[in-house]
Amino acid sequence: MGRFIDKDGMHRSLEGWPLVFTVLTTIAILVGGLVEIVPLMLADEAAERIETVEPFTPLELAGRDIYIAEGCVGCHSQAVRPFRHELERYGEYQRAGETVYERPFLWGSKRTGPDLARVGGKYPHLWHVRHMEDPRSTSPGSVMPPYPWMLEKEVDLDVLPRKLRALRSLGTPYSDDEIAQATERAEEQAAEIAGAIEQQGGPEDLESKQIVALVAYLQRLGTDIEEAPDVENELGDEDESTASRSN
């Protein structure tokens, strides 16, 4: 290794001046950090704003945390790309403005399972309950592991005010009332979803379980964009421009 380092080179000299070497290293780290951080600080100004996009409800936020904790993000992306085959399978392609309140965003890139960006409202609540309890019962041949404990494990709703307060400090527009009533509103939404699951023939008394929070989150995905995609119009101009370039 020694033959690759000039014994009388500048780097050797700097190593002999620990204070100077420390200062130069610190400057290099600061410059590199600014290069990484500044674009992120300006991202909010560059992202398109969509009026129908709103922050997650407290219960949906709890479900999102469960989604992350259980590793769902590792096998399911949430980013429909602007290609015809993706539009036909998943729906309208993803806009940056749809995830302005996502911290962190969950676009992902790996699809062991299907993309979930537009899964909201695609299936009834009970479907998601059965799918998490036994994926093969709803999707034959699925390689997804079961998550039966979600139907038994309690969801912690008492921490929601602190979560909303932290997100507001990062720019999510939660009001004082929404923060103060976060737990109560989550309980109300959970009771509504649990009642619907029971009416659909599912298990009873799920309103305090993790599965209800996860269902709330999954049923929200993609619903801020209400209009159904028109595949021909979405890619029609692109196809024409591609054809003109090829000619």
Side-chain angles (χ1 to χ4, degrees), residues 22 38 54 75 118 126:
T22 300
V38 170
E54 298 180 355
C75 293
R118 304 290 179 216
L126 181 58

Side-chain angles (χ1 to χ4, degrees), residues 62-74:
R64 186 177 189 270
D65 289 343
I66 293 171
Y67 179 93
I68 295 172
E70 294 294 351
C72 306
V73 65

